[in-house]
Amino acid sequence: MDLAEFTGPIEVASLSSRGGGRGIVAKRDIKFGELLVVSKAFSFCALDAANPEVYTVINPITDSEDSGFSAVAATRIAERIAGNPKAVDAINQLYAGPAHEPPSQFKTVPSEKVNVARLLNFDEDVDIGRIQSVVTFNAFASESLKIRGIVPKPELPVHLKPNGLFLIPSLFNHSCAPNSYHYCLGDFKILRATCDIRAREEIFISYGPEGNSYFSRVKSPVMAKLLPDCNCSLCIRDRKVGEAVCERRDRISNEISSCTTASAVQSQIKKLQETFKGYANADQEAMVDAYLALETLYRDRFDYPNALATIFKGLQYVGLQVMDTSLRGALPPKSRDALPIKLVTTAGSRTGGILKHIGVDGCIMVQGIFESVDKVRAAKWLKGAVWLHDKCYGGGKDLFRERYPHLSHHEALLQLQLE
């Protein structure tokens, strides 16, 4: 797939409430799935299969160990600056933490061919301390999109995961309930909207802390070292609910994984729901995991009607509404051509970042259950999967077929025309 850098309907805005004094806002109304940014890495460190060297350094910013490619990122950037001195302007425009003066503006720095002969010849002093700070606050772990639907490759060890610094994506502020998400294709980072976004509204991404509440997320390395006082809408609500309720939520969620019967999971789901009173469905990430656990138990018993009903219920927690919950009987011609799902999330959400795989995989699970008994409904749900995948990733049928090779020659997919 050919890629080129792209900046959509966004702009950098001064935001005095932000640590770096800036953020990204929408220049106009933006629709769900709209492409926001395609950014080639300023610096990218990935595995050399012939010589997988491993490095470990002490990061003076976080007072912790950096290993693998995150440990060498600052050195790689310094080398690029030596080979292209103008590149230092790009680094100096990025936030480098509270110990450094926030940059006042951001201008795209024209790329120039790196003079390889000058990689170790510095015309001016290079502030490696600032570079390290920029990397600490802005670099991303950058694994590329994975093939789905087949036996997955083993997860890469942390020290061998690619690490990249991307200029414009570094300007997006964090929220645990973001209204956009990001993913990588090689050394390109791509951002898309997870919901409709109003003009002048700030656009957020998630920096990746896991957990079902502020009190668990704050213990993650990202939050503990870099964002100890997250004030996104979701964290504010968690603190208002209180630590005791959130700890109960975590405990119930952990207990569900050890349940062996559907009735036990259902009982725990009712208790879990009580800890989310007042939360939007798409902010209840723990409910997604709970319904996935319940669906697995039904499917293992070959109880497909209940498995389907459980998937339908679970999809609402990633911001989708199931438009056709029928399990049998003839479909009217108009219903055959209609999408089985639609997006109902109207704001940033906790599960917006997992919509792109939980939502798509959920549609494919429904398609797989129907495949042997109802070809019409199977084709309808495959259409829903391709539509949602295209909204989340772009690439149309071609990228879908590449990522889901076991479905690449499905008759319904070959005939499908995206709307």
Side-chain angles (χ1 to χ4, degrees), residues 188-228:
F188 281 84
K189 184 163 287 293
I190 301 165
L191 285 80
R192 290 182 178 273
T194 61
C195 60
D196 291 350
I197 301 172
R198 296 187 301 273
R200 307 312 302 168
E201 184 178 346
E202 185 174 4
I203 305 175
F204 298 95
I205 61 174
S206 172
Y207 294 175
E210 297 181 354
N212 293 318
S213 74
Y214 164 80
F215 301 99
S216 54
R217 290 191 295 272
V218 76
K219 297 174 184 177
S220 72
V222 171
M223 296 281 276
K225 298 293 185 181
L226 305 179
L227 292 164

Side-chain angles (χ1 to χ4, degrees), residues 383-418:
K383 179 180 180 179
V386 177
W387 170 82
L388 184 58
H389 187 275
D390 186 57
K391 286 289 187 181
C392 293
Y393 297 105
K397 289 193 297 183
D398 291 339
L399 182 58
F400 181 88
R401 292 172 65 180
E402 186 173 331
R403 297 196 65 225
Y404 292 87
H406 67 296
L407 294 171
S408 62
H409 298 295
H410 195 287
E411 181 180 355
L413 179 60
L414 296 176
Q415 295 176 354
L416 178 63
Q417 297 295 322
L418 284 180

Side-chain angles (χ1 to χ4, degrees), residues 29-97:
D29 290 348
I30 294 172
K31 293 294 186 181
F32 161 56
E34 191 166 344
L35 184 63
L36 303 178
V37 174
V38 180
S39 176
K40 185 173 176 61
F42 178 87
S43 172
F44 191 75
C45 306
L47 177 65
D48 178 356
N51 185 24
E53 299 181 58
V54 178
Y55 303 88
T56 300
V57 299
I58 297 298
N59 186 325
I61 314 301
T62 61
D63 193 28
S64 60
E65 285 189 354
D66 285 346
S67 61
F69 298 119
S70 62
V72 300
T75 301
R76 295 284 180 86
I77 292 171
E79 290 174 348
R80 174 167 179 179
I81 290 172
N84 177 7
K86 288 186 178 180
V88 73
D89 294 336
I91 297 300
N92 288 339
Q93 293 183 91
L94 298 181
Y95 179 62

Side-chain angles (χ1 to χ4, degrees), residues 10 156 242 257 325 385 410:
I10 63 171
L156 279 175
S257 62
T325 59
H410 195 287

Side-chain angles (χ1 to χ4, degrees), residues 295 298-299 303-315 322 325-328 362 365-370 373 377 381:
E295 187 276 334
Y298 282 134
R299 188 157 35 88
D303 184 352
Y304 294 125
N306 274 321
L308 287 168
T310 302
I311 296 172
F312 296 161
K313 187 74 173 178
L315 287 176
V322 177
T325 59
S326 66
L327 304 183
R328 58 180 63 87
M365 289 166 66
V366 176
Q367 179 269 335
I369 292 174
F370 278 129
V373 295
R377 282 186 171 82
W381 279 92

Side-chain angles (χ1 to χ4, degrees), residues 62-320:
T62 61
D63 193 28
S64 60
E65 285 189 354
D66 285 346
S67 61
F69 298 119
S70 62
V72 300
T75 301
R76 295 284 180 86
I77 292 171
E79 290 174 348
R80 174 167 179 179
I81 290 172
N84 177 7
K86 288 186 178 180
V88 73
D89 294 336
I91 297 300
N92 288 339
Q93 293 183 91
L94 298 181
Y95 179 62
H100 297 268
E101 188 72 20
S104 59
Q105 59 181 352
F106 180 86
K107 294 181 179 178
T108 303
V109 178
S111 60
E112 291 188 357
K113 187 175 181 180
V114 173
N115 184 350
V116 178
R118 296 194 53 77
L119 284 181
L120 296 179
N121 295 292
F122 293 85
D123 295 325
E124 299 178 4
D125 290 339
V126 173
D127 187 348
I128 194 68
R130 183 182 179 88
I131 292 175
Q132 181 64 65
S133 294
V134 167
V135 169
T136 299
F137 284 91
N138 297 281
F140 291 86
S142 305
E143 285 191 273
S144 194
L145 282 184
K146 297 179 180 179
I147 303 298
R148 310 287 290 184
I150 58 175
V151 178
K153 294 181 180 180
E155 188 79 9
L156 279 175
V158 173
H159 65 276
L160 293 182
K161 290 185 177 181
N163 182 278
L165 179 68
F166 302 85
L167 298 182
I168 292 180
S170 295
L171 302 178
F172 286 77
N173 289 311
H174 165 79
S175 172
C176 297
N179 50 8
S180 73
Y181 49 77
H182 54 94
Y183 57 95
C184 283
L185 287 172
D187 61 350
F188 281 84
K189 184 163 287 293
I190 301 165
L191 285 80
R192 290 182 178 273
T194 61
C195 60
D196 291 350
I197 301 172
R198 296 187 301 273
R200 307 312 302 168
E201 184 178 346
E202 185 174 4
I203 305 175
F204 298 95
I205 61 174
S206 172
Y207 294 175
E210 297 181 354
N212 293 318
S213 74
Y214 164 80
F215 301 99
S216 54
R217 290 191 295 272
V218 76
K219 297 174 184 177
S220 72
V222 171
M223 296 281 276
K225 298 293 185 181
L226 305 179
L227 292 164
D229 298 309
C230 182
N231 288 312
C232 72
S233 60
L234 186 57
C235 285
I236 290 173
R237 179 176 287 279
D238 286 341
R239 290 197 291 268
K240 184 176 180 179
V241 166
E243 188 170 4
V245 172
C246 291
E247 286 182 348
R248 182 166 177 260
R249 179 188 304 161
D250 287 337
R251 185 173 65 255
I252 295 170
S253 183
N254 290 333
E255 289 171 354
I256 287 176
S257 62
S258 60
C259 291
T260 58
T261 65
S263 60
V265 175
Q266 290 171 330
S267 176
Q268 294 293 78
I269 284 177
K270 291 180 180 179
K271 297 177 184 177
L272 189 61
Q273 285 176 320
E274 294 175 0
T275 72
F276 280 116
K277 287 182 178 179
Y279 286 73
N281 280 344
D283 283 336
Q284 303 179 38
E285 185 175 15
M287 296 297 292
V288 177
D289 295 331
Y291 277 103
L292 285 173
L294 182 58
E295 187 276 334
T296 298
L297 289 171
Y298 282 134
R299 188 157 35 88
D300 287 347
R301 287 174 17 192
F302 305 102
D303 184 352
Y304 294 125
N306 274 321
L308 287 168
T310 302
I311 296 172
F312 296 161
K313 187 74 173 178
L315 287 176
Q316 76 179 32
Y317 290 101
V318 291
L320 296 172

